[in-house]
Coordinates of all heavy atoms in Angstrom, one line a residue:
E27 N 14.9 -36.0 -154.2 CA 15.2 -37.4 -153.9 C 14.2 -38.3 -154.5 O 14.5 -39.3 -155.1 CB 15.3 -37.6 -152.4 CG 15.6 -39.0 -152.0 CD 16.9 -39.6 -152.6 OE1 17.8 -38.8 -152.8 OE2 17.0 -40.8 -152.9
R28 N 12.9 -38.0 -154.4 CA 11.8 -38.8 -155.1 C 12.0 -38.8 -156.6 O 11.8 -39.9 -157.2 CB 10.5 -38.3 -154.7 CG 10.1 -38.5 -153.3 CD 8.7 -38.0 -153.0 NE 8.3 -38.3 -151.6 CZ 7.2 -37.8 -151.0 NH1 6.3 -37.2 -151.7 NH2 7.0 -38.1 -149.8
Y29 N 12.4 -37.7 -157.1 CA 12.6 -37.6 -158.6 C 13.7 -38.5 -159.0 O 13.7 -39.3 -160.0 CB 12.9 -36.2 -159.0 CG 13.2 -36.0 -160.5 CD1 12.1 -36.1 -161.4 CD2 14.5 -35.9 -160.9 CE1 12.4 -35.9 -162.8 CE2 14.7 -35.8 -162.3 CZ 13.7 -35.8 -163.2 OH 14.0 -35.7 -164.5
R30 N 14.8 -38.5 -158.2 CA 16.0 -39.4 -158.5 C 15.6 -40.9 -158.4 O 16.1 -41.7 -159.1 CB 17.1 -39.1 -157.5 CG 17.8 -37.8 -157.8 CD 18.9 -37.5 -156.8 NE 19.5 -36.3 -157.1 CZ 20.1 -35.5 -156.2 NH1 20.2 -35.9 -154.9 NH2 20.7 -34.4 -156.5
R31 N 14.6 -41.2 -157.5 CA 14.2 -42.6 -157.4 C 13.1 -42.9 -158.4 O 12.6 -44.0 -158.4 CB 13.6 -42.8 -156.0 CG 14.7 -42.9 -154.9 CD 14.1 -43.3 -153.6 NE 13.5 -42.1 -153.0 CZ 12.4 -42.2 -152.2 NH1 11.9 -43.3 -151.8 NH2 11.9 -41.1 -151.7
K32 N 12.9 -42.0 -159.3 CA 11.9 -42.1 -160.4 C 10.5 -42.3 -159.8 O 9.6 -43.0 -160.4 CB 12.3 -43.2 -161.3 CG 13.6 -43.0 -162.0 CD 13.9 -43.9 -163.1 CE 15.3 -43.5 -163.6 NZ 15.6 -43.9 -164.9
T33 N 10.2 -41.7 -158.7 CA 8.8 -41.7 -158.2 C 8.0 -40.6 -158.9 O 8.5 -39.6 -159.3 CB 8.9 -41.3 -156.7 OG1 9.6 -42.2 -156.0 CG2 7.5 -41.2 -156.1
N34 N 6.8 -40.9 -159.2 CA 5.9 -40.0 -159.9 C 5.7 -38.8 -159.0 O 5.3 -38.9 -157.9 CB 4.6 -40.6 -160.3 CG 4.8 -41.6 -161.4 OD1 5.7 -41.6 -162.2 ND2 3.8 -42.6 -161.4
L35 N 5.8 -37.6 -159.6 CA 5.5 -36.4 -158.9 C 4.3 -35.7 -159.6 O 4.3 -35.7 -160.8 CB 6.7 -35.4 -158.9 CG 7.9 -35.9 -158.2 CD1 9.1 -34.8 -158.4 CD2 7.7 -36.1 -156.8
V36 N 3.4 -35.3 -158.9 CA 2.2 -34.6 -159.4 C 2.0 -33.3 -158.7 O 2.0 -33.2 -157.5 CB 0.9 -35.5 -159.2 CG1 -0.3 -34.8 -159.7 CG2 1.1 -36.9 -159.9
L37 N 1.8 -32.3 -159.5 CA 1.5 -30.9 -159.0 C 0.0 -30.7 -158.8 O -0.7 -30.8 -159.8 CB 2.1 -29.9 -159.9 CG 1.9 -28.4 -159.4 CD1 2.6 -28.2 -158.1 CD2 2.5 -27.5 -160.4
L38 N -0.4 -30.6 -157.6 CA -1.9 -30.3 -157.4 C -2.2 -28.9 -157.4 O -1.4 -28.0 -156.9 CB -2.2 -30.9 -156.0 CG -2.0 -32.4 -155.7 CD1 -2.3 -32.7 -154.3 CD2 -2.8 -33.2 -156.7
D39 N -3.3 -28.5 -157.9 CA -3.8 -27.2 -157.9 C -4.0 -26.8 -156.4 O -4.3 -27.7 -155.6 CB -5.1 -27.0 -158.6 CG -4.9 -27.0 -160.1 OD1 -3.8 -26.8 -160.6 OD2 -5.9 -27.3 -160.8
P40 N -3.8 -25.5 -156.1 CA -3.9 -25.1 -154.6 C -5.2 -25.5 -153.9 O -5.2 -26.0 -152.8 CB -3.7 -23.6 -154.7 CG -3.0 -23.3 -155.9 CD -3.4 -24.4 -156.9
D41 N -6.3 -25.4 -154.6 CA -7.6 -25.8 -154.0 C -7.7 -27.3 -153.7 O -8.2 -27.7 -152.7 CB -8.8 -25.3 -154.8 CG -8.8 -25.9 -156.2 OD1 -7.7 -26.1 -156.8 OD2 -9.9 -26.3 -156.7
V42 N -7.1 -28.1 -154.6 CA -7.1 -29.5 -154.3 C -6.1 -29.9 -153.2 O -6.4 -30.6 -152.3 CB -6.7 -30.3 -155.6 CG1 -6.6 -31.8 -155.4 CG2 -7.7 -30.0 -156.7
A43 N -4.9 -29.3 -153.3 CA -3.9 -29.6 -152.2 C -4.4 -29.2 -150.9 O -4.0 -29.8 -149.9 CB -2.6 -28.8 -152.6
Q44 N -5.2 -28.2 -150.8 CA -5.7 -27.7 -149.5 C -6.6 -28.8 -148.8 O -6.8 -28.8 -147.6 CB -6.5 -26.4 -149.7 CG -6.8 -25.7 -148.5 CD -7.4 -24.3 -148.8 OE1 -8.1 -24.1 -149.8 NE2 -7.2 -23.3 -147.9
A45 N -7.2 -29.7 -149.6 CA -8.1 -30.7 -149.1 C -7.3 -31.9 -148.5 O -8.0 -32.7 -147.8 CB -9.0 -31.2 -150.2
F46 N -6.0 -31.9 -148.7 CA -5.2 -33.1 -148.2 C -4.1 -32.6 -147.3 O -3.3 -31.8 -147.7 CB -4.7 -33.9 -149.4 CG -5.8 -34.4 -150.3 CD1 -6.1 -33.8 -151.4 CD2 -6.4 -35.6 -149.9 CE1 -7.1 -34.2 -152.3 CE2 -7.4 -36.1 -150.8 CZ -7.8 -35.4 -151.9
P47 N -3.9 -33.3 -146.2 CA -2.8 -32.8 -145.3 C -1.5 -33.3 -145.7 O -0.5 -32.7 -145.3 CB -3.2 -33.5 -143.9 CG -4.1 -34.6 -144.3 CD -4.8 -34.2 -145.5
N48 N -1.4 -34.4 -146.5 CA -0.1 -35.0 -146.9 C -0.3 -35.9 -148.1 O -1.4 -36.2 -148.5 CB 0.6 -35.7 -145.7 CG -0.3 -36.8 -145.1 OD1 -1.0 -37.5 -145.8 ND2 -0.4 -36.8 -143.8
D49 N 0.8 -36.5 -148.5 CA 0.8 -37.4 -149.7 C 0.1 -38.7 -149.4 O -0.6 -39.3 -150.3 CB 2.2 -37.6 -150.3 CG 3.2 -38.2 -149.2 OD1 2.9 -38.0 -148.0 OD2 4.1 -38.9 -149.7
E50 N 0.2 -39.2 -148.2 CA -0.6 -40.4 -147.8 C -2.1 -40.2 -148.0 O -2.7 -41.1 -148.5 CB -0.2 -40.8 -146.4 CG 1.2 -41.3 -146.3 CD 1.6 -41.6 -144.8 OE1 0.7 -41.7 -144.0 OE2 2.8 -41.7 -144.5
A51 N -2.6 -39.1 -147.6 CA -4.0 -38.8 -147.7 C -4.4 -38.7 -149.2 O -5.5 -39.2 -149.6 CB -4.4 -37.5 -147.0
V52 N -3.6 -38.2 -150.0 CA -3.9 -38.1 -151.5 C -3.9 -39.5 -152.0 O -4.9 -39.9 -152.8 CB -2.9 -37.3 -152.2 CG1 -3.1 -37.4 -153.7 CG2 -2.9 -35.8 -151.8
N53 N -2.9 -40.3 -151.7 CA -2.9 -41.7 -152.2 C -4.1 -42.5 -151.7 O -4.7 -43.3 -152.5 CB -1.6 -42.4 -151.8 CG -0.4 -41.9 -152.6 OD1 -0.5 -41.6 -153.8 ND2 0.7 -41.8 -151.9
E54 N -4.5 -42.4 -150.5 CA -5.6 -43.1 -149.9 C -6.9 -42.7 -150.7 O -7.7 -43.6 -151.1 CB -5.8 -42.8 -148.5 CG -6.9 -43.6 -147.8 CD -7.0 -43.3 -146.3 OE1 -6.0 -42.8 -145.7 OE2 -8.1 -43.4 -145.8
A55 N -7.1 -41.4 -150.9 CA -8.3 -41.0 -151.7 C -8.3 -41.5 -153.1 O -9.3 -41.9 -153.6 CB -8.3 -39.4 -151.7
L56 N -7.1 -41.5 -153.8 CA -7.1 -42.0 -155.1 C -7.3 -43.5 -155.2 O -8.0 -44.0 -156.1 CB -5.7 -41.6 -155.7 CG -5.5 -40.2 -156.1 CD1 -4.1 -39.9 -156.5 CD2 -6.5 -39.7 -157.1
R57 N -6.8 -44.2 -154.2 CA -7.1 -45.7 -154.2 C -8.5 -46.0 -154.0 O -9.1 -46.9 -154.6 CB -6.2 -46.3 -153.1 CG -4.8 -46.4 -153.4 CD -4.0 -47.2 -152.4 NE -2.6 -47.2 -152.7 CZ -1.7 -46.5 -152.1 NH1 -2.0 -45.7 -151.1 NH2 -0.4 -46.5 -152.5
L58 N -9.2 -45.2 -153.2 CA -10.6 -45.3 -153.0 C -11.4 -45.0 -154.3 O -12.3 -45.7 -154.6 CB -11.1 -44.4 -151.8 CG -12.6 -44.5 -151.5 CD1 -13.0 -45.9 -151.1 CD2 -12.9 -43.5 -150.4
L59 N -11.0 -44.0 -154.9 CA -11.6 -43.6 -156.2 C -11.4 -44.7 -157.2 O -12.4 -45.0 -158.0 CB -11.0 -42.3 -156.7 CG -11.6 -41.7 -158.0 CD1 -13.1 -41.5 -157.8 CD2 -10.9 -40.5 -158.4
I60 N -10.3 -45.3 -157.3 CA -10.0 -46.4 -158.2 C -11.0 -47.6 -157.9 O -11.5 -48.2 -158.8 CB -8.5 -46.9 -158.1 CG1 -7.6 -45.8 -158.7 CG2 -8.3 -48.2 -158.8 CD1 -6.1 -46.0 -158.4
Q61 N -11.1 -47.9 -156.6 CA -12.0 -49.0 -156.3 C -13.5 -48.7 -156.7 O -14.1 -49.6 -157.2 CB -12.0 -49.2 -154.7 CG -10.7 -49.8 -154.3 CD -10.7 -50.0 -152.7 OE1 -11.7 -49.7 -152.1 NE2 -9.5 -50.4 -152.2
V62 N -13.9 -47.5 -156.5 CA -15.3 -47.1 -156.8 C -15.4 -47.2 -158.4 O -16.4 -47.7 -158.9 CB -15.6 -45.7 -156.3 CG1 -16.9 -45.2 -156.9 CG2 -15.7 -45.7 -154.8
A63 N -14.4 -46.7 -159.1 CA -14.5 -46.7 -160.6 C -14.5 -48.2 -161.1 O -15.3 -48.5 -162.0 CB -13.3 -46.0 -161.2
Q64 N -13.8 -49.0 -160.5 CA -13.7 -50.4 -160.9 C -15.0 -51.1 -160.6 O -15.5 -52.0 -161.4 CB -12.6 -51.2 -160.2 CG -11.2 -50.8 -160.7 CD -10.1 -51.4 -159.9 OE1 -10.2 -51.8 -158.8 NE2 -8.9 -51.4 -160.5
R65 N -15.7 -50.8 -159.6 CA -17.0 -51.4 -159.2 C -18.1 -50.9 -160.2 O -19.1 -51.6 -160.4 CB -17.4 -51.0 -157.8 CG -16.6 -51.7 -156.8 CD -17.1 -51.4 -155.4 NE -16.2 -51.9 -154.4 CZ -15.8 -51.3 -153.3 NH1 -16.4 -50.1 -153.0 NH2 -15.0 -51.8 -152.5
Q66 N -17.9 -49.7 -160.8 CA -18.9 -49.2 -161.7 C -18.8 -49.8 -163.1 O -19.7 -49.7 -163.9 CB -18.7 -47.7 -161.8 CG -19.0 -47.0 -160.5 CD -20.4 -47.2 -160.0 OE1 -21.4 -47.1 -160.7 NE2 -20.5 -47.5 -158.7
Q67 N -17.6 -50.4 -163.4 CA -17.4 -51.0 -164.8 C -18.2 -52.3 -164.9 O -18.3 -53.1 -163.9 CB -16.0 -51.3 -165.0 CG -15.1 -50.1 -165.1 CD -13.6 -50.4 -165.2 OE1 -13.2 -51.6 -165.1 NE2 -12.8 -49.4 -165.4
P68 N -18.9 -52.5 -166.0 CA -19.7 -53.7 -166.2 C -18.7 -54.9 -166.2 O -17.6 -54.9 -166.7 CB -20.3 -53.6 -167.5 CG -19.6 -52.5 -168.2 CD -18.9 -51.6 -167.2
N69 N -19.2 -56.1 -165.6 CA -18.4 -57.3 -165.6 C -18.5 -58.0 -167.0 O -19.6 -58.4 -167.4 CB -19.0 -58.2 -164.5 CG -18.1 -59.4 -164.3 OD1 -17.2 -59.7 -165.1 ND2 -18.4 -60.2 -163.3
T70 N -17.4 -58.1 -167.7 CA -17.4 -58.6 -169.0 C -16.8 -60.0 -169.1 O -16.5 -60.5 -170.1 CB -16.7 -57.7 -170.0 OG1 -15.3 -57.6 -169.5 CG2 -17.3 -56.4 -170.1
T71 N -16.7 -60.7 -167.9 CA -16.1 -62.0 -167.9 C -17.1 -63.1 -167.9 O -16.7 -64.3 -167.9 CB -15.2 -62.2 -166.6 OG1 -16.1 -62.0 -165.4 CG2 -14.1 -61.2 -166.5
T72 N -18.3 -62.8 -168.1 CA -19.4 -63.9 -168.2 C -19.6 -64.3 -169.6 O -19.4 -63.7 -170.6 CB -20.7 -63.4 -167.5 OG1 -21.1 -62.2 -168.1 CG2 -20.5 -63.3 -166.1

């Protein structure tokens, strides 16, 4: 059903999947990682 709705599907390696109880936890962790990465980028708007 997700594929039909054109939702992205990602296959996690077993060791990575074991660290997350569900898709919401994966998304939360990835959003946090995005925030951290964005903070590490130099500010080029000055």
Side-chain angles (χ1 to χ4, degrees):
E27 180 57 32
R28 288 181 181 177
Y29 178 79
R30 287 183 181 150
R31 288 186 282 152
K32 300 189 183 205
T33 299
N34 291 334
L35 298 177
V36 177
L37 179 62
L38 301 176
D39 288 340
D41 61 319
V42 175
Q44 195 172 29
F46 300 98
N48 55 42
D49 57 336
E50 291 176 14
V52 173
N53 286 326
E54 183 179 337
L56 289 174
R57 286 185 183 104
L58 180 60
L59 182 59
I60 291 167
Q61 290 176 4
V62 169
Q64 288 173 341
R65 289 182 191 142
Q66 298 300 315
Q67 294 177 352
N69 187 354
T70 59
T71 59
T72 56

